[in-house]
Amino acid sequence: YDTSWYEECDDHTGFELDALIEPGSILGSRELKLWKRFEKRQKLMSKLKLDRQWRAAYKEKQTEFDASALTGDALRYEGYWQSWKYLEACPKTNISDISALVKDRADLTQFRTEINQSDSIVLHIRRGDYFSNPVAAATHGVSLESYYKHSIDLLCAGRESDYRFLVFSDDPDPLQYFPSIKLTNVQLCTSSLSDAYTDLYSMSQAKNLVIANSTYSWWAAYLAGASCKVCAPDRWFKDREVALDSLFPPAWNIIASQ
């Protein structure tokens, strides 16, 4: 796993999947330089026909599912690989793997008793670098106010007062950015940047989950399984289109962002 990008990004909390990955399989910036040097050497030997076993690095050609990547024999795979179809062909990550890393946080005690109730709706609202960093904003800063409103309408069927809304966000007051959304029964959980596993696990316990255009809540929805009703936005990137049938499982509700 190449984690060198996280070492140079000040707007991100860093690489946090190390607890779920086998020791020795993470490449930092130093290890990546050595690896690329090795690749150049092997490529040269292959051209000179000194090493017929050379397997080139495989780079993702598109942002949708690429079946040929599953049958390749490359030593290194480079890309985002964000499709539920890849997961169907790989060893499954179970929610039990995440639950072992969950901390007993006082601010989530009440959330845990309510989050998996059928009359509770979990909203994940991603702000942070999506709007504070110009580069990230150009790619991920999608306006999702209409999306959240449409999702709430779908899940509540006009009966918002009958539901509890549990909001997970990296912003202390995320609903201020959505003036058209008027909710009364709201509980806010401002994500602890040092405890991402606990928030991820908590969101995955939802019966109704409205995700952001974020891999973080995408994983919460995927781990929640078939018992969770999921709403996902039809715009994942601001600057380009993505194949939604590749990004989202068929059972998820794809909601218009405009």
Side-chain angles (χ1 to χ4, degrees):
Y1 296 89
D2 172 14
T3 64
S4 57
W5 179 85
Y6 296 94
E7 298 174 15
E8 301 174 359
C9 182
D10 296 330
D11 296 302
H12 200 282
T13 56
F15 184 76
E16 298 183 82
L17 293 177
D18 48 305
L20 297 173
I21 294 174
E22 294 181 9
S25 60
I26 294 177
L27 296 177
S29 56
R30 178 180 177 276
E31 292 84 2
L32 184 62
K33 287 180 182 178
L34 294 173
W35 182 265
K36 288 187 175 181
R37 191 180 301 169
F38 167 76
E39 283 184 344
K40 288 181 179 179
R41 174 182 174 275
Q42 291 298 101
K43 192 172 183 178
L44 176 61
M45 292 180 67
S46 179
K47 286 184 176 180
L48 296 174
K49 298 184 179 181
L50 297 175
D51 184 356
R52 295 175 181 269
Q53 301 302 314
W54 161 244
R55 291 174 291 175
Y58 190 102
K59 291 188 178 182
E60 187 179 29
K61 303 180 182 65
Q62 53 205 5
T63 56
E64 59 189 85
F65 176 68
D66 180 5
S68 63
L70 298 174
T71 57
D73 59 352
L75 293 174
R76 183 168 65 90
Y77 289 80
E78 183 178 327
Y80 286 97
W81 315 110
Q82 188 163 359
S83 172
W84 62 276
K85 297 179 181 180
Y86 290 120
L87 300 176
E88 297 301 304
C90 299
K92 294 286 181 69
T93 296
N94 296 312
I95 195 58
S96 59
D97 299 328
I98 307 294
S99 63
L101 303 168
V102 171
K103 296 178 182 177
D104 186 16
R105 273 184 25 213
D107 63 321
L108 286 177
T109 300
Q110 188 174 358
F111 269 60
R112 286 175 182 157
T113 62
E114 297 180 347
I115 205 164
N116 62 356
Q117 302 300 311
S118 59
D119 60 351
S120 292
I121 296 175
V122 172
L123 307 177
H124 179 236
I125 301 174
R126 171 73 184 271
R127 299 291 300 179
D129 60 330
Y130 275 20
F131 295 91
S132 64
N133 182 308
V135 176
T139 300
H140 302 288
V142 181
S143 176
L144 292 179
E145 181 174 0
S146 294
Y147 156 69
Y148 283 106
K149 194 173 188 305
H150 294 327
S151 298
I152 292 169
D153 290 343
L154 173 68
L155 296 174
C156 296
R159 297 182 293 107
E160 286 87 348
S161 59
D162 294 340
Y163 287 82
R164 289 182 294 268
F165 295 90
L166 311 178
V167 181
F168 285 80
S169 181
D170 52 1
D171 189 287
D173 186 15
L175 291 176
Q176 68 173 307
Y177 305 104
F178 307 142
S180 67
I181 298 177
K182 310 294 184 183
L183 303 175
T184 54
N185 194 0
V186 177
Q187 291 177 260
L188 176 65
C189 175
T190 302
S191 299
S192 171
L193 298 182
S194 61
D195 188 15
Y197 287 114
T198 299
D199 287 350
L200 178 65
Y201 175 80
S202 298
M203 287 193 290
S204 74
Q205 301 303 293
K207 287 290 188 290
N208 302 288
L209 176 57
V210 182
I211 71 172
N213 59 326
S214 166
T215 304
Y216 188 51
S217 51
W218 185 100
W219 268 107
Y222 184 81
L223 292 170
S227 63
C228 180
K229 191 171 186 179
V230 178
C231 291
D234 67 347
R235 292 289 299 177
W236 197 253
F237 297 112
K238 185 177 182 179
D239 60 351
R240 61 185 181 275
E241 300 290 336
V242 63
L244 298 178
D245 62 338
S246 179
L247 181 61
F248 303 131
W252 293 12
N253 299 285
I254 302 175
I255 309 297
S257 56
Q258 299 295 330

